[in-house]
Amino acid sequence: MIKYLPQSPEDEDRMVEAAYQDVLQSYLASNHRKKVEIIERAYRFAKEAHKGVRRRSGEPYILHPIAVAKIVISELGLGSTSICAAFLHDVIEDTEYTREDIENNFGKKIADIVDGLTKISGGIFGDKASLQAENFRKLLLSMSTDIRVVLIKMADRLHNMRTLGSMRPEKQYKIAGETLYVYAPLAHRLGLFKIKQELEDLAFKYEHPQKYIDIKEKLSESADHREEMVEKFVKPVREKLDAAGFKYEIKARVKSAYSIFKKMETKKIPFEEIYDVYAVRVIFDNDDDSQEKIRCWQIYTFFTDGHRVHPDRLRDWTSIPKANGYRALHLTAMGPEGKWIEVQIRSRKMDEIAELGYAAHWKYKTGVHEDETELDSWMNTIKDILANPEPNAIDFLDTIKLNLFSSEIYVFTPKGDLITLPSGSTVLDLAFAIHSEVGTHCIAGKINHKLVPLSHRLESGDQVEVITSNTQKPQNEWLDYCHSARARNRLRAILKKDHKLLVERGEQIFNEFMTREAIVPSNELISKILAAHHITSKQDLFAMLANDEINLSPKELHELNTTRRSLMKKLLRNPFSTKKKSDPTKKEPINRKEIYVLHPDAKTPNYRFDTCCSPIPGDDVLGFVDDDENVVLHKVSCDNAMKLKSAYGSRLVATKWGGAAPKFLATISVDGIDRHGILEEIISTMSQKLGINVRGLNIAAKQEVFHCEITVQIDNVETVDRICDTLKKIKGITFAKRIS
């Protein structure tokens, strides 16, 4: 935990004043109109309001608003209104000043932004699921009225992440989790590439500290060699650019630690096998917008003249920008030592928009900007979701996330209209994108005169005709075919409405049946019926009755009504209710503020695993405390853990492994070149050289290549790493990685 070293009041005041002057100098160096007087007043007002207050690290609180203001001007490029709002963003919540005080001193516009920031000031997430969803709705609603609210919120979150070291471990997990789950995707969707990358790297640093250090060290070790390779790669291109009279700069870009980690995890490959660690960005000055695209392609030819280009890695976002406004021309060319190097070609304007997102659009806006339609389209989808919110916070966040962090595909209607959809979208997604009625009555699609089902995944460039029928009605399984937030949300709203009518009809059937049998439908009887038929709610029972999916016999009802013993009271459980019976003796509440020591060697371990992931001692894990005060373990990178970190931060507990671990089962995937005796060598290495108990082996060879999965009994993650390292030393084995 990072601690602030106390200083004298005079030294502190000088430090605070120097930080403010740094903000002011950044503003004066920008292209904005110089409204220094109002910025000065906002700073003095905030400084007085927060006087005597300190952050958890011990430093004066005013340093936080100053840091947020610095990000707002230096990294987002916003102007005086946003700088003032950044200085004042915590004043209403944390001091006795009100919105009226802000408006009287600084005007309605600044007051509106500060008020919007105050409404979401507790972070997107509180302790209760309903509050979390509500706070997120407030954030999105404020974004639809003035996008500066969410941009300043991004700056606030970025500074909190930069100073996360002063927080307790369980708070670090919570804040890092919600950052990865919502803030980074939101930054991506708004085109804030630099901020998105830093948020991801900082979250990764606190969730997987050792893996972060390992990747950073490997990047540092290869830095000199990488620069030498890149310079050799771009030398002939520089000569051509100079000869053609371009004003330009070439930057070597390094893939972020988090994106390297994600690729290593997804593809199950080591750091050394990630080929796109290397990247080059060419940024050229351009005064004529009409020549911008032509110049991108001209530079493209400079690379193709002297290098072999990867045929499947050309990406043209100059003609059709990404939905977040990103424009560039990408190619991948063969560099020295047979390394593929990604090249990004951008004009200066493209580069600023790529780094600053929609914040940079205002700088270039003349009349109606062509890219504004994308932002408007996305905001309409957000408003659509807000109009029919999910009752469950996690479902709501998932629905939003479909729109936040998806790649785009571009498809065409039969008339040639272009429609942008998230990658993975189906015919049904397209139908709902056209109109709700088209989605409701969609029965199939037609691509190149060939009929395809609703679930058919579309590809960029498809020209799709949606076929409808008035007799078609939405089905529950359609939710599996929806990959866009718009389609999923509208379909849920329709199904919800239909379900309500079914429930009303089923309730009528149920009451008529009870009246005929002269039975009083008590709550106890209904609970017994639900338990007997394994139904979770009364509404589901009524809906099944209306659909003829269940029959209630008079004999069964009379038996249930007369028995004294309730069969079961099976109520809906929250994500933390333990699957074991509760201990009849009340357990002591677990102290969430202290690190919880896990004892795998105990007769009864003081934790349990959830079914979604299989951590073993040594894995990065965190604990969730369920309703019965049991600690449930997840891998830090588990998808379910990611959601729960975001939504139930107050139930987190930081953990560490203690004691000697018993044996666990783990599966290792091995690939290599097949040869006589390699299986025997693998087995002898495992059992004799390493002394590992092999519990299962599955091997298959195709032509000269083999794939093998070995299930072993081990005690911790270090043992697995040792097995993988040893196997890779066997001649012919190219890959060995734990997969479960």
Side-chain angles (χ1 to χ4, degrees):
M1 199 177 282
I2 297 169
K3 285 292 182 184
Y4 169 76
L5 297 174
Q7 300 181 40
S8 69
E10 295 77 16
D11 287 343
E12 273 192 351
D13 206 46
R14 278 193 290 272
M15 178 178 65
V16 169
E17 201 63 32
Y20 165 65
Q21 288 301 324
D22 188 28
V23 174
L24 198 57
Q25 291 309 310
S26 298
Y27 174 66
L28 292 171
S30 72
N31 295 327
H32 291 285
R33 288 177 296 168
K34 304 302 181 278
K35 298 182 178 178
V36 176
E37 186 271 334
I38 193 169
I39 290 175
E40 177 80 23
R41 282 198 292 115
Y43 162 63
R44 301 294 169 199
F45 189 97
K47 187 179 179 185
E48 182 59 33
H50 294 300
K51 190 174 181 180
V53 181
R54 295 187 177 273
R55 298 194 84 201
R56 186 179 292 274
S57 61
E59 68 184 16
Y61 192 87
I62 187 62
L63 286 173
H64 170 63
I66 292 173
V68 174
K70 179 68 191 291
I71 294 168
V72 161
I73 178 61
S74 299
E75 299 180 51
L76 289 172
L78 302 179
S80 59
T81 300
S82 300
I83 294 170
C84 291
F87 280 134
L88 301 165
H89 77 272
D90 281 332
V91 166
I92 295 177
E93 186 192 12
D94 293 344
T95 74
E96 70 273 12
Y97 291 102
T98 63
R99 185 196 188 284
E100 288 69 31
D101 294 324
I102 303 291
E103 185 168 349
N104 291 337
N105 281 278
F106 302 100
K108 186 176 186 303
K109 189 176 289 185
I110 290 173
D112 284 344
I113 295 173
V114 174
D115 193 39
L117 287 160
T118 302
K119 286 174 181 171
I120 53 172
S121 60
I124 288 175
F125 309 100
D127 290 337
K128 296 180 181 175
S130 59
L131 287 178
Q132 292 147 17
E134 187 55 39
N135 279 330
F136 197 26
R137 288 187 192 105
K138 286 175 182 174
L139 173 65
L140 295 169
L141 283 168
S142 64
M143 197 162 81
S144 63
T145 55
D146 192 330
I147 205 164
R148 283 175 292 191
V149 173
V150 80
L151 293 174
I152 297 166
K153 188 65 189 171
M154 280 291 168
D156 179 44
R157 172 49 56 122
L158 181 57
H159 184 248
N160 283 335
M161 286 300 294
R162 286 173 177 173
T163 56
L164 195 58
S166 61
M167 305 291 282
R168 293 196 308 269
E170 83 282 357
K171 289 286 187 184
Q172 291 175 354
Y173 277 132
K174 173 190 181 295
I175 294 168
E178 68 184 31
T179 296
L180 275 181
Y181 196 69
V182 176
Y183 280 95
L186 190 54
H188 167 84
R189 199 56 181 77
L190 291 169
L192 305 171
F193 176 77
K194 280 177 72 176
I195 287 178
K196 170 227 171 196
Q197 190 177 66
E198 187 175 352
L199 287 174
E200 287 177 339
D201 268 10
L202 287 167
F204 173 43
K205 176 183 176 182
Y206 288 101
E207 290 200 331
H208 299 278
Q210 191 54 51
K211 289 174 183 173
Y212 175 83
I213 291 167
D214 291 344
I215 290 173
K216 280 292 189 183
E217 284 178 352
K218 285 177 180 175
L219 285 172
S220 179
E221 287 166 8
S222 61
D224 292 341
H225 179 62
R226 190 168 57 245
E227 286 175 18
E228 187 182 313
M229 274 186 58
V230 168
E231 192 51 46
K232 189 176 176 183
F233 173 71
V234 300
K235 187 180 177 183
V237 178
R238 283 188 192 277
E239 293 169 0
K240 291 184 174 69
L241 286 165
D242 291 337
F246 276 89
K247 290 182 179 178
Y248 66 94
E249 63 175 312
I250 296 179
K251 297 179 180 177
R253 185 184 69 84
V254 183
K255 201 174 183 73
S256 73
Y258 177 73
S259 58
I260 290 172
F261 167 71
K262 289 296 285 183
K263 183 158 279 192
M264 287 168 64
E265 289 292 299
T266 304
K267 294 185 177 291
K268 309 287 185 189
I269 57 176
F271 175 88
E272 291 71 23
E273 291 180 28
I274 296 181
Y275 72 86
D276 56 350
V277 169
Y278 306 92
V280 169
R281 184 173 298 156
V282 181
I283 303 163
F284 62 92
D285 292 344
N286 179 62
D287 298 326
D288 184 356
D289 283 356
S290 66
Q291 295 294 307
E292 188 178 50
K293 199 185 302 183
I294 295 168
R295 286 175 177 160
C296 283
W297 284 103
Q298 188 181 356
I299 295 170
Y300 170 79
T301 63
F302 295 164
F303 280 97
T304 58
D305 284 349
H307 300 97
R308 288 196 300 276
V309 176
H310 197 303
D312 299 325
R313 300 281 296 176
L314 177 64
R315 300 288 183 269
D316 177 16
W317 285 299
T318 62
S319 304
I320 304 174
K322 288 186 178 183
N324 60 14
Y326 179 85
R327 294 175 66 232
L329 184 62
H330 288 200
L331 66 131
T332 301
M334 183 68 76
E337 300 177 16
K339 298 283 188 184
W340 288 110
I341 297 179
E342 185 185 67
V343 180
Q344 302 170 352
I345 303 169
R346 304 174 180 173
S347 69
R348 186 74 56 189
K349 174 180 172 180
M350 288 177 179
D351 187 59
E352 287 196 18
I353 289 173
E355 298 301 307
L356 302 179
Y358 287 110
H361 285 207
W362 302 330
K363 180 177 176 180
Y364 296 102
K365 194 159 58 177
T366 53
V368 178
H369 195 282
E370 60 185 65
D371 291 328
E372 284 180 349
T373 53
E374 291 289 356
L375 179 58
D376 291 342
S377 170
W378 184 59
M379 284 313 308
N380 286 334
T381 301
I382 295 298
K383 288 173 183 173
D384 200 47
I385 294 166
L386 294 171
N388 300 285
E390 296 291 339
N392 180 293
I394 296 292
D395 287 344
F396 177 72
L397 292 176
D398 278 346
T399 303
I400 289 289
K401 208 165 188 286
L402 285 174
N403 254 51
L404 287 182
F405 216 172
S406 56
S407 301
E408 293 82 28
I409 59 169
Y410 307 96
V411 297
F412 299 90
T413 66
K415 293 181 179 178
D417 294 330
L418 175 70
I419 296 178
T420 305
L421 293 168
S423 180
S425 289
T426 62
V427 171
L428 189 60
D429 288 303
L430 174 63
F432 275 106
I434 295 169
H435 196 279
S436 291
E437 282 299 305
V438 177
T440 303
H441 300 295
C442 175
I443 58 171
K446 190 183 284 187
I447 302 174
N448 300 328
H449 309 292
K450 181 184 174 184
L451 273 177
V452 293
L454 293 179
S455 57
H456 178 82
R457 291 199 172 195
L458 304 174
E459 295 181 4
S460 271
D462 283 346
Q463 192 162 12
V464 190
E465 179 186 349
V466 177
I467 300 169
T468 60
S469 167
N470 288 334
T471 59
Q472 177 72 303
K473 289 185 178 179
Q475 311 294 323
N476 274 308
E477 58 265 28
W478 283 17
L479 285 169
D480 296 332
Y481 310 153
C482 293
H483 291 268
S484 68
R486 182 191 185 101
R488 186 173 290 235
N489 204 57
R490 292 195 171 179
L491 179 57
R492 276 183 173 149
I494 294 164
L495 291 172
K496 192 176 176 182
K497 185 179 177 183
D498 291 347
H499 185 71
K500 187 179 177 184
L501 293 172
L502 272 179
V503 169
E504 289 173 357
R505 172 71 185 131
E507 188 172 11
Q508 184 183 347
I509 293 169
F510 181 80
N511 289 334
E512 288 172 358
F513 184 81
M514 289 295 181
T515 302
R516 282 200 307 273
E517 296 300 320
I519 297 173
V520 178
S522 65
N523 288 335
E524 185 182 0
L525 175 60
I526 291 173
S527 293
K528 291 176 182 177
I529 296 169
L530 296 179
H533 292 273
H534 307 289
I535 302 169
T536 53
S537 71
K538 188 163 61 173
Q539 286 71 27
D540 287 348
L541 170 65
F542 294 154
M544 290 171 77
L545 282 170
N547 268 336
D548 291 328
E549 294 175 25
I550 186 174
N551 288 310
L552 296 178
S553 69
K555 181 182 177 184
E556 176 197 15
L557 279 179
H558 284 291
E559 284 177 357
L560 289 173
N561 197 33
T562 53
T563 182
R564 293 181 181 178
R565 187 170 164 268
S566 172
L567 297 176
M568 188 182 3
K569 288 187 177 180
K570 188 176 181 180
L571 304 174
L572 282 173
R573 304 167 84 84
N574 69 30
F576 306 101
S577 58
T578 180
K579 293 174 185 174
K580 298 178 181 179
K581 291 181 180 179
S582 298
D583 195 332
T585 59
K586 186 73 176 177
K587 293 181 72 171
E588 283 291 317
I590 288 164
N591 186 348
R592 270 78 147 177
K593 295 180 181 180
E594 292 182 357
I595 293 178
Y596 186 80
V597 181
L598 305 166
H599 293 293
D601 55 342
K603 188 174 182 181
T604 304
N606 59 340
Y607 59 86
R608 68 177 178 84
F609 297 125
D610 213 328
T611 54
C612 53
C613 59
S614 307
I616 62 175
D619 278 333
D620 292 329
V621 294
L622 53 83
F624 291 93
V625 182
D626 67 18
D627 286 343
D628 295 327
E629 292 297 314
N630 295 310
V631 173
V632 184
L633 293 188
H634 287 264
K635 287 182 183 175
V636 169
S637 54
C638 164
D639 287 340
N640 285 341
M642 184 79 75
K643 297 177 187 178
L644 297 173
K645 276 182 286 184
S646 301
Y648 296 92
S650 63
R651 290 180 178 265
L652 283 178
V653 60
T655 60
K656 71 174 181 181
W657 294 101
K663 298 293 185 181
F664 290 81
L665 291 179
T667 302
I668 297 170
S669 176
V670 181
D671 292 322
I673 307 300
D674 195 21
R675 62 176 170 83
H676 182 71
I678 195 165
L679 178 58
E680 183 182 351
E681 194 170 342
I682 290 171
I683 297 297
S684 64
T685 298
M686 297 282 285
S687 57
Q688 295 174 26
K689 186 175 180 180
L690 296 174
I692 300 296
N693 186 2
V694 177
R695 301 301 298 271
L697 188 141
N698 186 5
I699 188 167
K702 189 174 182 181
Q703 295 173 353
E704 303 301 317
V705 176
F706 79 89
H707 172 74
C708 176
E709 290 188 2
I710 310 168
T711 302
V712 293
Q713 200 171 41
I714 45 88
D715 52 0
N716 57 43
V717 74
E718 286 81 12
T719 304
V720 180
D721 292 339
R722 185 161 52 88
I723 294 170
C724 293
D725 290 341
T726 306
L727 287 174
K728 280 189 276 191
K729 291 174 184 173
I730 296 175
K731 182 184 174 184
I733 290 182
T734 58
F735 175 91
K737 180 88 174 180
R738 172 188 162 205
I739 57 174
S740 74

